[in-house]
Amino acid sequence: MRTAIRPPAVPLVTVDPYFSVWSMADRLSDDFTRHWTGKRNAMTGLILIDGAPWRFAGCVEPNAENYYTEPKPMTQTEFQLTPLTSTYWFEESGIRLKVSFTTPLLMDELELLSRPASYVSFSVRSIDDKPHRVQIYYDVTGEWCVNSSDQRVVWRRDEVGGLVMLQMSHEEQDCLHRSGDDVRMDWGQFYLAVNNAADMQTYIDSADIRKQFVRNGQISQSGGMAMPQAVRDHNVVMAFTWDCGEVRADEVSNVIVLAYDDVYAIEYFGEKLQAYWKKSGMSAFEMIAAAFAEYSGIMARCEAFDRQLRQDGIRAGGEKYAELLALAYRQAIAAHKLVTDRDGKLLFMSKECFSNGCIATVDVSYPSIPLFLLYNPELVKGMMRPIFQYAQSEAWPFEFAPHDVGQYPLANGQVYSGNAREGQMPVEECGNMLVMAAAVCLAEKRADFAKENWELLSGWADYLLEYGLDPENQLCTDDFAGHLARNANLSIKAIMGVASCSLLYGLMGHPAEAERYRMAAKEMAIKWEHMASERDHYKLAFGQEETWSLKYNLIWDIIFETGIFNERIAQQEVAWYLTKQNKYGVPLDSRETYTKADWLVWAATLASDQEQFARLIEPLWDALNETADRVPFTDWYDTKTARQMNFQHRSVVGGIFMKLLKEKRVR
């Protein structure tokens, strides 16, 4: 089924924060493909149909010499986005070409989820009842394995067990030598792998080989270039050609694998950790071979998952909601890296993309968890373990929860605010950790995970009891809005943190303590309503008249079925939001016209009926469909213009799954 939304960016190869490449255009041939940061990670796809050249992927090079040799783009006739696959259809000269990009991020099999291998499949057939001679060329550039194109690469070609594996890497291998936000990996090995067959030829050369293919469908085996080469000097590419032969009505297909072995993935408190898929000693060649061997079965599973998620999304929130889920799914996962600590415990490390590059940020994990609670709660535990580890160490000086554990990919201690108290988020992060702990333990129907970390969790609950109801001047997760005292929505988080402590005590078999914290949360909620009430809605901050905000933290009272707050509050808030809606959604609060996509969906999920929910989230669909900013799903945008404020490729879009979580209930 054709996708109705025009994504601002289309996920193509989406594995982790470094290996994540997108098309930021309407057509695959309108622009170079790009890393999520916007830097060029190009691919080029060409096709000869009866000797006439066409281009289906990649952009015309911006210099005069190449401009006249690059073939015209094929007509892109259709596009489909599913949670795991992005598919383009093209037609020209009696031939229909289908190109699909699949990253099998299936959360029920962590080895597969962690596998840094993504499929590109090609299918062609005649659509005019005539045979046509077809040849296909495809390449990826050395830009994929360097931080900047002035860096030099080396390469090699291997034939292994029926496969040809082309490999390229930066000449200087220094794993985990840099951290930051707008950076790309320049260590490890990048692979393009194909089946070793007579109709497949492979090349590592300059991009000039494209001209040879366009002219006559043949590429001379010149012996290649001398190593190393700066990427930008010769636009070094790994390429293959596929001679499809005489194509008739029956479809002919082929598949390749793009893979990246990062050697070491994360530095965790001084220890270099490998990616999860390496935990049993699997080599990169074995990993790629497994991707080919399991292709048919994996694709069947991906297609079944995509169908089910679409059905679930439509049932929960309608067609447009289902499309939002499809656009969010791969991004939310690919903003993480899966590793294990020295004890074999899972760590699911997020990168705070296009913000400051922090790793394992608590208030980035918190909005993302609806997706992971639905499909594998163990991943939520993997998000939380680094915070517990850090908070238990002598390096953490405070009685409240940390914000992060470093800057991706170096998880060696907080860099956010330099450990200064005034830059922390005490109520925010304590509330987040308690809610996440309760959510994952309820999902698993046991409290073992909370017990392991109970000294910290119970201490954070007591912190919220003392300081959470009427927060002092401090940051919350919406730190771009600045410090705010007496934040009413932050107060709700504190109250739900205390309620979460009650739930955890209940799961641990301590009914008296559970009741004590439940009653404390109820008393706090009664006081909250008195302080926050303003006629037909509730204030942004206690004592600030004529203000309002999205009370997105209230959703956990519904998810947990705790009944801490009066049901009337959510109903009044939803009715108020509908009166404050701009063209592209409800602002985050009364101060500005911008909003957060995750919080908008959480606030909409407070609605008691589908019609209200649809009215609140459809402007988000419109914003993504119409924005002029061609970037991966931004969660911070202006509700009047649909323009991106900042942020892209962040895991927080996992929060879009909140309505689906509400329908299935954690409990």
Side-chain angles (χ1 to χ4, degrees):
M1 178 179 292
R2 181 181 179 275
T3 298
I5 196 170
R6 181 232 61 180
V10 177
L12 301 178
V13 178
T14 48
V15 175
D16 60 41
Y18 285 128
F19 194 30
S20 184
V21 176
W22 298 63
S23 172
M24 302 178 182
D26 290 347
R27 300 184 302 174
L28 191 58
S29 59
D30 280 349
D31 189 18
F32 302 104
T33 53
R34 300 180 182 275
H35 187 260
W36 68 262
T37 56
K39 297 299 189 297
R40 192 170 80 172
N41 277 190
M43 66 175 67
T44 295
L46 306 171
I47 186 170
L48 291 180
I49 305 172
D50 298 323
W54 300 89
R55 174 170 42 89
F56 61 86
C59 189
V60 172
E61 294 283 355
N63 60 69
E65 179 185 356
N66 283 331
Y67 182 83
Y68 293 105
T69 61
E70 287 275 2
K72 293 180 180 179
M74 293 184 80
T75 301
Q76 184 174 304
T77 59
E78 195 173 345
F79 167 74
Q80 183 185 56
L81 177 76
T82 66
L84 296 171
T85 298
S86 301
T87 303
Y88 298 85
W89 285 266
F90 307 88
E91 292 181 8
E92 210 67 60
S93 303
I95 283 292
R96 188 169 206 206
L97 168 67
K98 174 184 174 184
V99 183
S100 295
F101 299 85
T102 302
T103 308
L105 301 177
L106 295 166
M107 283 186 265
D108 61 348
E109 186 181 338
L110 295 182
E111 287 81 1
L112 181 59
L113 182 78
S114 173
R115 183 184 290 172
S118 196
Y119 298 110
V120 188
S121 63
F122 306 85
S123 301
V124 289
R125 66 182 181 90
S126 172
I127 55 174
D128 64 358
D129 298 322
K130 298 177 183 177
H132 298 276
R133 176 72 190 283
V134 176
Q135 297 159 276
I136 288 176
Y137 168 98
Y138 177 86
D139 73 39
V140 285
T141 71
E143 295 161 331
W144 292 52
C145 59
V146 294
N147 179 54
S148 58
S149 63
D150 61 336
Q151 292 177 302
R152 303 197 302 177
V153 292
V154 295
W155 54 86
R156 58 181 287 176
R157 178 185 186 276
D158 293 281
E159 295 186 17
V160 183
L163 300 174
V164 178
M165 300 195 192
L166 306 183
Q167 174 182 328
M168 191 179 295
S169 59
H170 181 213
E171 67 167 335
E172 298 176 7
Q173 288 294 299
D174 187 5
C175 294
L176 303 172
H177 72 102
R178 74 167 80 234
S179 68
D181 187 21
D182 188 8
V183 295
R184 285 140 300 281
M185 183 181 292
D186 57 7
W187 63 88
Q189 288 80 44
F190 175 40
Y191 293 89
L192 184 155
V194 304
N195 284 296
N196 194 351
D199 57 2
M200 299 284 282
Q201 300 295 320
T202 57
Y203 310 87
I204 305 178
D205 212 322
S206 79
D208 286 343
I209 62 174
R210 298 171 190 161
K211 298 178 185 177
Q212 295 182 46
F213 177 80
V214 165
R215 287 170 185 153
N216 56 25
Q218 300 293 322
I219 297 174
S220 63
Q221 295 281 4
S222 63
M225 301 171 292
M227 293 190 291
Q229 287 285 342
V231 170
R232 69 183 177 194
D233 286 351
H234 293 284
N235 198 7
V236 187
V237 300
M238 297 190 293
F240 76 89
T241 58
W242 173 32
D243 189 343
C244 308
E246 196 171 74
V247 174
R248 299 179 183 271
D250 291 337
E251 190 172 73
V252 293
S253 302
N254 216 323
V255 64
I256 68 163
V257 168
L258 299 175
Y260 207 121
D261 176 11
D262 55 16
V263 183
Y264 287 100
I266 298 290
E267 186 168 294
Y268 188 63
F269 299 108
E271 183 177 2
K272 291 183 178 180
L273 304 180
Q274 294 184 322
Y276 183 86
W277 65 271
K278 290 188 169 189
K279 65 185 178 65
S280 299
M282 179 179 281
S283 70
F285 284 179
E286 290 169 332
M287 177 269 295
I288 294 169
F292 275 98
E294 299 165 12
Y295 173 67
S296 296
I298 287 172
M299 289 304 297
R301 291 173 59 193
C302 289
E303 289 164 8
F305 178 85
D306 286 348
R307 285 193 301 271
Q308 187 62 57
L309 180 50
R310 176 174 171 76
Q311 292 171 11
D312 292 344
I314 292 172
R315 190 178 304 113
E319 295 270 357
K320 290 186 174 180
Y321 179 60
E323 290 197 338
L324 292 175
L325 298 180
L327 184 57
Y329 185 88
R330 274 175 278 171
Q331 174 174 313
I333 298 171
H336 294 86
K337 191 69 178 183
L338 191 64
V339 297
T340 58
D341 65 15
R342 64 175 59 186
D343 298 321
K345 291 183 178 179
L346 199 72
L347 305 174
F348 196 43
M349 311 290 280
S350 66
K351 178 175 182 179
E352 192 168 346
C353 296
F354 240 60
S355 178
N356 55 14
C358 285
I359 188 169
T361 303
V362 178
D363 57 290
V364 167
S365 295
Y366 170 75
S368 79
I369 65 170
L371 169 62
F372 303 102
L373 290 170
L374 281 164
Y375 296 110
N376 194 337
E378 184 65 33
L379 294 170
V380 179
K381 291 154 70 173
M383 297 176 195
M384 299 176 70
R385 286 192 180 103
I387 300 298
F388 287 132
Q389 174 81 13
Y390 185 41
Q392 288 168 352
S393 74
E394 294 182 357
W396 180 246
F398 303 119
E399 69 276 28
F400 47 78
H403 169 272
D404 66 88
V405 299
Q407 187 179 55
Y408 195 93
L410 307 181
N412 294 322
Q414 191 186 87
V415 298
Y416 186 87
S417 296
N419 269 4
R421 177 178 283 269
E422 61 271 17
Q424 302 296 329
M425 302 182 184
V427 172
E428 174 72 37
E429 309 304 19
C430 288
N432 289 340
M433 289 296 286
L434 281 155
V435 170
M436 288 193 289
V440 75
C441 289
L442 287 169
E444 295 188 329
K445 297 182 172 58
R446 62 180 187 273
D448 296 2
F449 181 64
K451 286 180 182 178
E452 295 171 11
N453 304 284
W454 192 244
E455 184 177 354
L456 285 171
L457 288 168
S458 60
W460 293 338
D462 290 341
Y463 183 91
L464 295 177
L465 274 174
E466 184 171 357
Y467 300 108
L469 174 61
D470 195 352
E472 297 176 345
N473 189 41
Q474 61 191 266
L475 295 171
C476 72
T477 183
D478 307 315
D479 54 356
F480 47 80
H483 284 68
L484 179 66
R486 314 194 73 192
N487 185 331
N489 186 52
L490 185 59
S491 176
I492 294 174
K493 179 168 290 179
I495 296 167
M496 289 313 303
V498 174
S500 296
C501 183
S502 168
L503 291 170
L504 291 169
Y505 267 124
L507 283 172
M508 290 189 291
H510 300 293
E513 288 298 291
E515 180 62 14
R516 183 166 77 86
Y517 279 87
R518 188 186 73 83
M519 289 305 300
K522 286 282 288 185
E523 290 170 9
M524 293 170 78
I526 291 169
K527 293 176 182 177
W528 182 94
E529 185 172 4
H530 175 74
M531 293 189 293
S533 180
E534 186 169 22
R535 300 184 304 278
D536 51 359
H537 70 280
Y538 296 86
K539 300 169 187 172
L540 163 66
F542 308 137
Q544 290 193 12
E545 308 302 319
E546 304 299 327
T547 63
W548 57 272
S549 64
L550 295 178
K551 305 301 189 298
Y552 52 83
N553 289 315
L554 195 60
I555 190 60
W556 292 108
D557 197 27
I558 296 173
I559 297 293
F560 290 159
E561 299 179 336
T562 37
I564 299 298
F565 289 86
N566 192 314
E567 291 182 4
R568 179 184 67 254
I569 295 173
Q571 296 168 6
Q572 285 184 322
E573 282 291 288
V574 169
W576 178 260
Y577 302 153
L578 288 168
T579 70
K580 294 299 177 182
Q581 191 159 274
N582 291 325
K583 181 178 181 181
Y584 295 112
V586 183
L588 183 63
D589 59 50
S590 50
R591 293 174 291 181
E592 300 285 349
T593 60
Y594 57 62
T595 198
K596 287 281 270 81
D598 44 354
W599 304 146
L600 179 60
V601 175
W602 286 29
T605 305
L606 296 172
S608 58
D609 65 71
Q610 292 287 70
E611 191 258 337
Q612 285 183 320
F613 175 79
R615 286 174 61 193
L616 287 168
I617 65 102
E618 285 181 0
L620 169 59
W621 188 98
D622 292 339
L624 293 166
N625 189 57
E626 298 173 19
T627 182
D629 297 308
R630 308 308 297 267
V631 300
F633 199 148
T634 180
D635 54 291
W636 183 22
Y637 69 95
D638 187 86
T639 61
K640 289 187 174 180
T641 65
R643 297 305 302 261
Q644 175 195 28
M645 299 296 299
N646 201 345
F647 304 161
Q648 61 199 50
H649 196 263
R650 301 211 312 160
S651 64
V652 304
V653 297
I656 303 298
F657 285 74
M658 181 58 88
K659 182 62 160 62
L660 191 54
L661 181 65
K662 178 185 175 184
E663 297 302 311
K664 297 195 172 186
R665 299 292 170 114
V666 172
R667 230 176 151 182

